Amino acid sequence: MNSESSSSTQQFAADQIEGYRFYTETIEVTHMSALAFFEAGGNDHAGKRMYWKNREKTFTLVGIGHAHVLSSDETAGRFENIKKDWKNLCQQIVNEERSVHPVLFGGFSFDPFNTKPSEWRRFPQAYFVVPTFQLILKGDQAFVSIHLITKKQDSFNEFDALRKERDKLLHAAQVSEVDKYDKPNVIERTELRKEEYLESIQRVTDIIKAKEVEKVVIARTVKLGFEKKLSPTSALYQVANEQPESFLFGLEAEEQFFFGATPERLVKVENEKALSTCLAGSTPRGKTIEKDTELGEALLQDPKNRAEHQYVVSMISDVFKATCSQTIVPKTPKLMKIRDIQHLYTPVEGLLNAGSTLFDLVELLHPTPALGGEPKLEALKMIREHEAMNRGYYAAPIGWIDTQGNGEFAVAIRSALLDEEKAYLYAGGGIVADSTPESEYDETWVKFRPMLRALGGQLSDES
């Protein structure tokens, strides 16, 4: 993975960032469609947009343009580099806003040590952006901010030009309705490296039986081909309609667009309070309420899924105990039911210790056993050796942080990479001693279903 347009964080040492001035201006505006604002930005800022809506629908973020990019292709230290550069950049803010704060949005790759070729050509190992224009919707309020990060001493004219462009974006978003996009026409569906995937399940199961590791998550890829290029706005529109109860995210890197509807929060920090989600163990939804209840109860009682879930609870609890005080961990999981699947779910809460940050939690929590395995380092090694793909940003942290240290990261599952007239979909499952290639293969179709449905894929021959 690389990014021709992004700058390595190694070029932005603290003394260099101190040469910048970070100007901001925020106005409150009439509530509008976030998708309409996103679409309006495509005229002059295609390839430089971002989108986020939390699962509770209380916070929506749209970013347009690149005021500043923090990125890294380093295999080590990327979390620390981004954290330090953001901290230094925040210190250059000239006029602090009170209504809303500037946001840094982006994500990390799943594993920078994976050297397999991949489709993620525009995404570096870490890719974060301060948008030029930032829309935030909170409750009934809507705020639009301008961000200008420059080394120029006199930037009045440049900022005034941005005000005019902001007003043009607002007009376009407020007077036009979001198109009701038809689902795309899929003309090709290809299961990439299917046989390699099935063979990898058997090899990893044998390794687990030999007690070398306890659990390893193995994923695979399906590629869709469309009649014509699918727009990022259309993709977000479809996935928002299909999966409204999930975190919605989208991140452009030139002509590529990574987006999804994930049920899984990695970690949230708000006013020093940290919250994470243990999400592992899954089963389909039932076609009737009786069948749905039966499947859910069976999931709650299933030893394999409960053990898989407990790996995640133990790991996240340990991280919170090391970085937080007053940690709260429920003793038994609940069910999280979304449209196509139900999961075992346990929330974990705590108060951040002095010196701990959101980026610290993201680094320590990634990947959870639900996405990597247990023990972590051994599982990652197994994934590199046996998984027949390079995950890129699939199953990795994606989210935002503001200048006050508040923010939220989700785990980028139920996701796809849009690449012109192609889309790559990803799904995986936790392999343990009694796993079989056939059952794991069937489980991936349950997890592919949300994005397949959103992108017009056929479901009839999935099993």
Side-chain angles (χ1 to χ4, degrees):
M1 293 182 291
N2 56 48
S3 178
E4 297 170 2
S5 65
S6 298
S7 304
S8 168
T9 52
Q10 303 307 307
Q11 298 173 357
F12 289 106
D15 58 337
Q16 293 174 299
I17 286 182
E18 286 170 4
Y20 286 94
R21 285 184 171 86
F22 189 161
Y23 298 100
T24 74
E25 179 181 275
T26 298
I27 60 172
E28 186 168 359
V29 299
T30 303
H31 205 282
M32 73 187 79
S33 161
L35 276 180
F37 190 75
F38 181 90
E39 175 67 11
N43 293 327
D44 298 320
H45 298 280
K48 296 181 178 180
R49 293 174 294 172
M50 56 225 73
Y51 185 94
W52 173 274
K53 180 182 284 188
N54 67 1
R55 193 172 60 213
E56 298 81 10
K57 301 182 182 62
T58 57
F59 180 89
T60 302
L61 162 70
V62 179
I64 295 173
H66 287 179
H68 200 74
V69 175
L70 297 176
S71 68
S72 175
D73 258 323
E74 301 299 312
T75 54
R78 57 195 180 134
F79 294 94
E80 187 67 18
N81 288 340
I82 298 295
K83 180 180 79 170
K84 286 183 177 179
D85 286 349
W86 177 235
K87 180 180 178 181
N88 289 328
L89 198 59
C90 290
Q91 292 172 351
Q92 313 313 314
I93 293 178
V94 175
N95 47 333
E96 185 68 46
E97 290 287 350
R98 294 184 179 180
S99 50
V100 297
H101 301 286
V103 164
L104 181 74
F105 184 89
F108 298 93
S109 69
F110 182 82
D111 180 9
F113 292 98
N114 189 320
T115 58
K116 293 184 177 75
S118 82
E119 57 273 11
W120 296 84
R121 63 185 178 277
R122 297 302 187 193
F123 284 81
Q125 303 296 347
Y127 174 53
F128 284 83
V129 174
V130 181
T132 304
F133 304 100
Q134 170 186 296
L135 169 68
I136 286 182
L137 305 179
K138 297 172 69 175
D140 295 329
Q141 293 182 290
F143 302 92
V144 172
S145 304
I146 298 171
H147 302 143
L148 175 63
I149 300 173
T150 180
K151 288 186 175 181
K152 296 177 183 177
Q153 296 296 314
D154 183 5
S155 57
F156 176 83
N157 290 337
E158 187 175 358
F159 204 92
D160 199 48
L162 291 177
R163 289 191 182 103
K164 291 181 173 66
E165 187 174 359
R166 173 200 63 198
D167 294 343
K168 179 182 173 183
L169 284 169
L170 285 172
H171 178 265
Q174 289 172 338
V175 303
S176 62
E177 294 183 5
V178 178
D179 292 335
K180 291 180 171 57
Y181 295 94
D182 293 329
K183 286 190 177 180
N185 186 15
V186 176
I187 59 174
E188 180 184 15
R189 189 180 82 184
T190 308
E191 297 182 60
L192 301 182
R193 299 174 290 275
K194 175 183 173 181
E195 293 306 318
E196 293 177 56
Y197 163 78
L198 293 171
E199 291 169 5
S200 71
I201 301 297
Q202 191 59 61
R203 288 197 302 271
V204 169
T205 302
D206 292 340
I207 292 169
I208 292 171
K209 287 178 179 176
K211 307 296 185 184
E212 295 183 33
V213 290
E214 296 177 49
K215 173 192 171 184
V216 180
V217 177
I218 297 295
R220 68 186 189 98
T221 313
V222 167
K223 182 174 76 171
L224 302 181
F226 305 104
E227 277 187 331
K228 58 183 180 180
K229 181 180 176 181
L230 183 62
S231 77
T233 310
S234 173
L236 284 173
Y237 174 86
Q238 299 296 349
V239 79
N241 285 341
E242 294 286 346
Q243 301 292 323
E245 64 279 88
S246 298
F247 292 95
L248 304 179
F249 66 87
L251 178 62
E252 285 187 320
E254 299 186 42
E255 75 278 7
Q256 294 192 306
F257 180 58
F258 181 48
F259 72 106
T262 174
E264 186 166 355
R265 170 187 290 119
L266 181 64
V267 63
K268 175 182 180 180
V269 169
E270 184 173 16
N271 300 324
E272 305 301 320
K273 182 179 179 180
L275 174 65
S276 187
T277 299
C278 306
L279 203 70
S282 59
T283 194
R285 296 299 303 270
K287 292 184 178 181
T288 66
I289 183 63
E290 292 80 13
K291 185 61 177 176
D292 197 61
T293 301
E294 179 186 330
L295 288 168
E297 289 301 316
L299 177 62
L300 286 168
Q301 303 303 322
D302 181 65
K304 175 184 179 293
N305 280 289
R306 286 293 293 266
E308 185 178 339
H309 186 77
Q310 190 56 42
Y311 285 137
V312 181
V313 174
S314 297
M315 180 267 198
I316 292 179
S317 298
D318 288 345
V319 169
F320 267 56
K321 288 172 184 174
T323 56
C324 300
S325 61
Q326 302 180 35
T327 302
I328 301 172
V329 185
K331 292 182 179 179
T332 57
K334 306 173 185 178
L335 290 174
M336 178 187 288
K337 295 174 181 272
I338 54 179
R339 179 168 180 177
D340 297 292
I341 194 168
Q342 15 188 350
H343 293 283
L344 295 177
Y345 159 67
T346 301
V348 178
E349 301 178 22
L351 292 176
L352 270 182
N353 292 334
S356 295
T357 69
L358 176 57
F359 276 125
D360 295 329
L361 285 168
V362 171
E363 180 175 12
L364 291 169
L365 290 170
H366 174 72
T368 70
L371 284 309
E374 184 68 25
K376 178 193 283 192
L377 296 180
E378 288 81 352
L380 283 171
K381 183 173 182 289
M382 292 293 102
I383 292 169
R384 284 182 214 121
E385 290 180 5
H386 300 290
E387 193 169 79
M389 59 182 277
N390 186 329
R391 296 187 185 187
Y393 279 38
Y394 163 68
I398 188 164
W400 62 275
I401 184 171
D402 69 14
T403 54
Q404 305 301 298
N406 297 316
E408 186 165 32
F409 279 76
V411 178
I413 56 175
R414 314 294 189 268
S415 55
L417 177 67
L418 197 63
D419 189 6
E420 305 286 352
E421 62 284 335
K422 303 182 295 294
Y424 297 88
L425 283 59
Y426 310 93
I431 312 305
V432 292
D434 60 352
S435 296
T436 66
E438 295 77 15
S439 64
E440 295 300 327
Y441 175 80
D442 290 344
E443 183 180 330
T444 60
W445 280 121
V446 176
K447 295 174 179 177
F448 277 128
R449 187 174 288 123
M451 298 306 293
L452 268 174
R453 182 186 286 115
L455 294 176
Q458 298 297 313
L459 304 173
S460 58
D461 58 342
E462 289 177 4
S463 58

